[in-house]
């Protein structure tokens, strides 16, 4: 189970998840700068850390990298919920308390989820382990999960080249 993402890691991953295509440090930086003052090297370090933690894979493009999410936000959220529940000394009581906190919309979503996986009639098998939302221990060399049909934008700033770790 991964640790919860930090505030800046979450801000970066939110963009990677929303854009659902390979992204550069420069693209993330420019979007983050609409909300806050932040340095290129800070974003580069966060994205490198996310790569080392297995949340994103990266591919070299010239002297820069393009980063792609390894997992979805939904899988990340599910892994956090599973970890919180499994560390309880009384999992049943934790679930009862959690269900008691749910809004009507969340309860409807839970009912829908039970129908989708077939748990409403008690006949469903255990879900596969990979659906727990855990990123791999090491980034895989496989293709991105959901490649964009659009070609990635060309890099415009030579400052990005040579600034990536290990380059």
């Amino acid at each position: 189970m991964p640790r919860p993402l930090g505030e800046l890691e979450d801000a970066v991953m939110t963009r990677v998840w929303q854009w659902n295509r390979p992204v550069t440090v420069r693209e993330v930086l420019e979007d983050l700068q609409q909300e806050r003052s932040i340095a290129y090297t800070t974003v580069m370090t966060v994205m490198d850390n996310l790569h080392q933690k297995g949340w994103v894979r990266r591919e070299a493009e010239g002297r820069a990298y393009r980063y792609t999410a390894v997992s979805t936000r939904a899988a990340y959220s599910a892994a956090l919920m599973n970890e919180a529940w499994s560390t309880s000394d009384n999992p049943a009581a934790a679930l009862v308390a959690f269900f008691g906190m749910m809004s009507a919309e969340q309860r409807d979503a839970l009912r829908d989820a039970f129908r989708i996986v077939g748990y409403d009639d008690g006949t469903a098998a255990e879900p596969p382990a990979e659906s727990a939302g855990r990123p791999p221990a090491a980034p895989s060399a496989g293709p991105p999960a959901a490649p964009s049909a659009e070609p990635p934008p060309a890099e415009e700033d030579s400052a990005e080249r040579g600034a990536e770790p290990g380059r």
Side-chain angles (χ1 to χ4, degrees), residues 48-57 69-71 134-139:
D48 184 59
N49 290 343
L50 289 166
H51 174 255
Q52 290 178 23
K53 292 177 181 181
W55 283 107
V56 294
R57 71 176 55 94
V70 170
S71 187
R134 295 178 195 93

Side-chain angles (χ1 to χ4, degrees), residues 10-157:
D10 186 70
V12 168
M13 283 305 300
T14 294
R15 283 149 179 86
V16 175
W17 282 320
Q18 286 176 343
W19 295 341
N20 196 28
R21 62 173 174 76
V23 300
T24 64
V25 170
R26 176 75 49 207
E27 291 172 308
V28 174
L29 170 72
E30 289 172 357
D31 200 60
L32 284 170
Q33 284 178 331
Q34 294 178 23
E35 300 171 1
R36 64 177 93 191
S37 176
I38 190 166
Y40 177 92
T41 54
T42 301
V43 177
M44 180 181 64
T45 299
V46 169
M47 294 183 80
D48 184 59
N49 290 343
L50 289 166
H51 174 255
Q52 290 178 23
K53 292 177 181 181
W55 283 107
V56 294
R57 71 176 55 94
R58 67 184 179 195
E59 292 189 29
E61 182 176 285
R63 292 174 51 181
Y65 289 113
R66 288 209 174 266
Y67 294 84
T68 307
V70 170
S71 187
T72 64
R73 169 149 327 254
Y76 166 70
S77 298
L80 291 178
M81 290 187 291
N82 185 57
E83 176 68 11
W85 179 56
S86 66
T87 59
S88 172
D89 61 346
N90 188 339
L95 281 175
V96 168
F98 179 67
F99 294 155
M101 294 178 200
M102 293 177 123
S103 68
E105 293 81 19
Q106 290 170 322
R107 287 190 303 273
D108 288 343
L110 180 62
R111 279 193 278 291
D112 290 343
F114 273 127
R115 273 192 295 278
I116 290 168
V117 298
Y119 286 158
D120 57 342
D121 63 4
T123 61
E126 287 291 313
E130 65 270 11
S131 70
R134 295 178 195 93
S140 73
S148 172
E150 300 176 37
E155 287 301 319
E156 298 172 11
D157 191 339

